[in-house]
Amino acid sequence: MNATELWQRYEDWLYYHDGLELYVDISRMGFDAAFVESLQPKFAKAFADMAALEAGAIANPDEDRMVGHYWLRDPDLAPDDLGQEITTVLDEIDDFVQQVHAGTIKPAEADQFTRILSVGIGGSALGPEFVSEALAPINPKMDIYFMDNTDPAGLDLVLDRLGDDLKSTLVLITSKSGGTPETRNGMLEVKHRFEALGLDFPSHAVAITMIGSKMDELERMEGWLAEFPMFDWVGGRTSEMSAVGLLSASLLGIDIRSMLVGAKEMDAATRVADLKTNPAALLALAWYYAGNGQGEKDMVMLPYKDSLLLFSRYLQQLVMESLGKEKDLDGNVVHQGIAVYGNKGSTDQHAYVQQLREGVPNFFATFIEVLKDREGPSIEVEPDATSGDFLNGFLQGTRAALYDNQRESITITINEVTPRTVGALIALYERAVGLYASLVNINAYHQPGVEAGKKAAASIIDLQRRVLTVVRSLDQPLPLATVADKAGATDQVESVYKILRHLAANNRGITLQGDRRTPSKLNVAAKASSES
């Protein structure tokens, strides 16, 4: 297309939300009118599916659950008494945060809580981390630290950084079931550090979990400081607008009510059953076109704002866990999904944009543009040009350079990064995921692959216990294969070897003797307690 035709296409496909000052531009995707027309029946079904979901239909048949994250920002839409439950939790968050900030709720060992330690994983961590990075004020009400893995060195690093400040640290433990191993491990590590310092862990601990979960029972038994509920109809990757994300955000001093307002406004915009005037439908259309309805191209997120750096990481879970499915709703093997990765502009000008423009064309880009540069005026770093002008130039230049080499892109533009616009962005992508899932006939609201991974990990821990029982009974070294056989794992020698190698490296009462380059010839011995 020539410049005049491109300008006309831009105007033809530009979406603008007046209230949110948000633009969605899919003009640099190469679909034509015939393609759009061919998808109209699929979109009609997708709009109907989303309406049924919001009305309370069972959207997750695997678990017989509704999916109602939309109700979190518009409780009046929730069925039965759920709306009152949502409102009650919001009021409880407001009351708790006010008391923490006022020092009415405080630790026994300090005058006030000054820090937050958030322990969670997946949706219980990614949303809160993204929002805190994007929206925390320069001088937040409290400082926040995250534990989102079960890496011992990582756990130590966070706890060591807190050091003596643990005495004024509020610990948020977030787990829907209360049994997620990574979160449970983090909680136990934190509890151990508190006890080692002579601090009372329960008086610092807040549970965010489902009523009746293992963590709920533990909280009641130990008498933790507070508990906030998670709802079974809200999945982890769509839980940022629940207590999971709102409690920590509010403690930081972020206006959570504005986040909810922005999400509610976007929800209303994305309910419109018309493709060209529904921003989430436009995204779903672009995704479907780019990947031929099969996820054949990756989604590269390029936010041109430092505060939005973690948006791509947040979207990795939302998009990939929702859309990465082996089977469709009819039981056919389809291997659906869209891979998501990204960094930020203009850092990417000096990183992987070279490949994006000239390498394998296996992606489409999404630029996130923020019009407002900063609070207050900017100096000119060159005549008639500020730092923000350069950032804008890099974005426009990269978009044009990609298009000139047949690399397609979407651009989402907001005026500034605020609680309201961040809430809107989250809601926009939540709805786009739901619509796209309907287009490709998959269930966006379950995660059998994640559950399979958890079961496989649990089986390794069970095998480790059997191996340790065998090794602890040894009075002389035995070949690796013999140890595996005694542990009832004759066909799992590799797993046994890797378990033993890890235990030996951590001085867990085991030694491996022989040539490490030939694991099958190693002997396994119990290390004497004096050597441990």
Side-chain angles (χ1 to χ4, degrees), residues 334-349:
V334 292
H335 296 298
Q336 276 288 354
I338 301 176
V340 180
Y341 63 94
N343 192 9
K344 67 177 181 181
S346 65
T347 300
D348 300 297
Q349 314 292 132

Side-chain angles (χ1 to χ4, degrees), residues 464 467-468 498-510:
Q464 176 173 304
V467 168
L468 279 168
K498 290 184 175 180
I499 287 169
L500 289 167
R501 184 178 62 178
H502 177 256
L503 293 172
N506 286 279
N507 199 28
R508 300 279 294 280
I510 289 169

Side-chain angles (χ1 to χ4, degrees), residues 29 31 35 38-39 42-43 281-297 299 336 338 364 410 435-441:
M29 304 297 291
F31 58 86
F35 177 81
S38 72
L39 283 184
K42 286 181 179 289
F43 270 105
L282 292 174
L283 291 183
L285 167 70
W287 299 354
Y288 193 97
Y289 168 77
N292 196 29
Q294 295 290 330
E296 293 173 0
K297 291 190 176 181
M299 184 190 305
Q336 276 288 354
I338 301 176
F364 63 97
I410 299 165
L435 290 171
Y436 181 88
S438 180
L439 294 181
V440 299
N441 195 37

Side-chain angles (χ1 to χ4, degrees), residues 51-62:
L53 179 131
E54 287 196 312
I58 298 299
N60 193 346
D62 292 0

